[in-house]
Amino acid sequence: METDLKLKLQQLHERVDALKDQINTEEATKNAFVMPFIQILGYDIFNPTEVIPEHICDIGTKKGEKIDYVIKKDNEPILIIECKHWKEKVDAHNSQLHRYYHVSKSKFGVLTNGHIYNFYADLEKPNIMDEKPFFTLDLSNLKDSSLKILENFTKKGYNLEQILDSAEDLKYIKAIRNEFEKELQEPSDEIVKLLVSRFFEKPLTAPRMLAFKEYTKKAFSNSINESINFRLKNALNITEAVPSKAQDQNPSVNDVVETAKFITTEEEVEGSQIVKAILREVLSSSRIAFRDTQSYFGILLDDNNRKPICRLHFNSSNKYLEVFNNGKDSGEKKLLSSLDEIYNYKAELLSTVKNYE
């Protein structure tokens, strides 16, 4: 079930990416993206007793207010769904979903723009929808853990008790993770004091606090980079390109024979993440692949040797970014004085990807 669900959602994501520029209204977003999603969950979008569009929800003195969809199972509402245009942010603040939720018998509300689905419950106060979702599904980043949660919302797998049991855990784990990621970006005084107090006995004066903040930030960064580096080296299992005699003077990216003699450096990891951040404007992360070799670190589209996006040549004193916007056999090396200069070649990287589409 989970594999089938993932495949259908991946196909829907491809549909969203292909059609979104032609979708100009909220109504079109609902028809093109949201209704297929509801159908993937197993509900009959053509059965008005199961999937009710434009459901009237009287709220106090306001009569005739409508929610985009109400999904029923065994004649009981289980989900209310509010849709936004695909370009809009999925933010429930001041959303109609808040108002509809407390007059609905449904335990769950969904706010979506067709590619991100935020799931809400009333974990804080009964019958009052929480400000923050307990679960977010992003079609461009389908995780196995997310699919397991979503499975509980399908028609065949709907399990109210199981969802409620895990909803609070999900909500607070997500909140803690968000705070943790903030600390990684900019360590707070509190976290610095907590860590430093374990090995530094002198008073933390203002100048020392500033210094230790920088030390903490660098320590976090180094720890994460080393962890990524370790995982890359274990996951990639990449081998070095050995060109044939005919290719000695002009090696092609098409034919690669690989050996396992390479070291993925922290700079290669950091550079690859910069490239990935640029490409995420037009690609899902699942389509961006890394190949490390002894002479360069390659970044490919769809893990295809015939679709090189760029190469990082960081194994000498001078560092180069090799771009392929003029064709896969016409790589051009750009000298980098710092990794941040990779951002200067955003146009070339995006153009390369466009050439392969």
Side-chain angles (χ1 to χ4, degrees):
M1 172 64 182
E2 191 177 311
T3 303
D4 185 48
L5 185 63
K6 185 174 185 177
L7 177 61
K8 289 179 179 179
L9 290 173
Q10 286 173 334
Q11 291 171 343
L12 178 58
H13 176 238
E14 292 171 2
R15 173 188 176 89
V16 170
D17 269 358
L19 295 178
K20 63 184 182 183
D21 290 333
Q22 302 171 50
I23 303 299
N24 299 316
T25 65
E26 182 181 299
E27 191 64 29
T29 300
K30 290 194 289 186
N31 292 335
F33 303 154
V34 181
M35 288 182 71
F37 176 80
I38 295 172
Q39 202 166 26
I40 287 171
L41 294 184
Y43 300 99
D44 186 354
I45 59 174
F46 302 108
N47 182 348
T49 66
E50 188 167 287
V51 178
I52 309 171
E54 298 294 317
H55 181 68
I56 295 176
C57 238
D58 293 336
I59 305 171
T61 58
K62 290 188 177 182
K63 305 295 181 183
E65 290 273 321
K66 295 179 180 179
I67 186 73
D68 290 320
Y69 298 101
V70 172
I71 296 179
K72 287 188 173 183
K73 190 174 188 298
D74 300 326
N75 208 32
E76 291 292 327
I78 60 173
L79 279 178
I80 58 172
I81 303 176
E82 181 188 349
C83 307
K84 300 290 186 183
H85 185 259
W86 69 267
K87 287 184 178 180
E88 291 188 45
K89 292 183 178 180
V90 192
D91 184 357
H93 185 63
N94 293 328
S95 162
Q96 288 178 312
L97 194 65
H98 270 295
R99 302 199 299 274
Y100 297 141
Y101 187 90
H102 84 274
V103 297
S104 167
K105 293 181 180 179
S106 173
K107 292 294 295 181
F108 306 105
V110 178
L111 186 59
T112 181
N113 57 12
H115 56 95
I116 293 176
Y117 291 78
N118 279 335
F119 288 70
Y120 296 84
D122 56 351
L123 302 175
E124 300 290 340
K125 297 178 181 178
N127 300 320
I128 298 177
M129 194 181 86
D130 297 336
E131 287 289 334
K132 295 182 179 180
F134 70 88
F135 168 54
T136 296
L137 180 78
D138 183 348
L139 293 184
S140 67
N141 186 21
L142 293 172
K143 301 176 181 178
D144 289 342
S145 57
S146 297
L147 293 173
K148 287 180 181 178
I149 297 165
L150 188 65
E151 213 172 312
N152 291 323
F153 285 97
T154 62
K155 184 176 179 179
K156 287 185 178 180
Y158 182 70
N159 190 321
L160 176 61
E161 291 74 19
Q162 194 163 327
I163 296 170
L164 290 175
D165 284 345
S166 61
E168 185 169 348
D169 294 348
L170 291 168
K171 179 183 177 68
Y172 292 117
I173 289 171
K174 182 178 180 180
I176 291 170
R177 179 175 175 176
N178 287 340
E179 293 303 317
F180 176 68
E181 289 175 351
K182 288 178 188 176
E183 293 289 356
L184 293 179
Q185 294 296 320
E186 200 61 48
S188 65
D189 289 357
E190 292 81 4
I191 196 70
V192 173
K193 288 177 182 177
L194 174 65
L195 296 174
V196 173
S197 67
R198 296 180 179 180
F199 61 84
F200 191 78
E201 296 179 356
K202 297 178 182 179
L204 274 181
T205 60
R208 279 176 175 163
M209 174 59 79
L210 286 175
F212 274 117
K213 271 195 170 184
E214 285 303 311
Y215 298 153
T216 303
K217 195 171 183 178
K218 288 178 181 178
F220 285 165
S221 177
N222 289 344
S223 178
I224 291 170
N225 285 339
E226 286 176 10
S227 176
I228 293 172
N229 187 30
F230 177 79
R231 291 186 182 187
L232 277 173
K233 285 192 286 187
N234 281 276
L236 287 172
N237 193 23
I238 304 308
T239 54
E240 166 62 12
V242 180
S244 66
K245 291 181 180 179
Q247 297 172 319
D248 282 346
Q249 295 181 347
N250 186 24
S252 167
V253 299
N254 295 339
D255 302 302
V256 179
V257 181
E258 300 171 331
T259 67
K261 298 180 179 179
F262 65 90
I263 297 174
T264 303
T265 66
E266 288 185 15
E267 285 187 323
E268 287 171 336
V269 171
E270 187 176 347
S272 69
Q273 294 307 305
I274 292 174
V275 174
K276 186 175 182 179
I278 293 171
L279 298 177
R280 284 291 281 112
E281 291 188 11
V282 296
L283 292 175
S284 66
S285 58
S286 62
R287 299 191 65 193
I288 305 167
F290 302 132
R291 295 284 186 95
D292 198 2
T293 73
Q294 208 167 30
S295 55
Y296 62 81
F297 186 98
I299 300 174
L300 308 173
L301 179 64
D302 298 329
D303 204 13
N304 188 335
N305 283 329
R306 296 179 181 274
K307 296 181 179 181
I309 297 171
C310 67
R311 289 174 177 172
L312 307 179
H313 296 269
F314 289 178
N315 293 334
S316 63
S317 57
N318 291 325
K319 294 177 175 55
Y320 297 90
L321 172 71
E322 186 176 2
V323 294
F324 295 90
N325 54 301
N326 292 322
K328 62 184 176 62
D329 296 316
S330 302
E332 294 182 30
K333 290 184 178 180
K334 309 291 184 179
L335 181 63
L336 302 174
S337 60
S338 72
L339 295 186
D340 286 341
E341 288 188 2
I342 294 175
Y343 286 106
N344 296 342
Y345 300 99
K346 175 179 177 179
E348 286 84 347
L349 294 171
L350 297 179
S351 174
T352 301
V353 170
K354 187 176 181 181
N355 290 340
Y356 293 136
E357 294 294 304

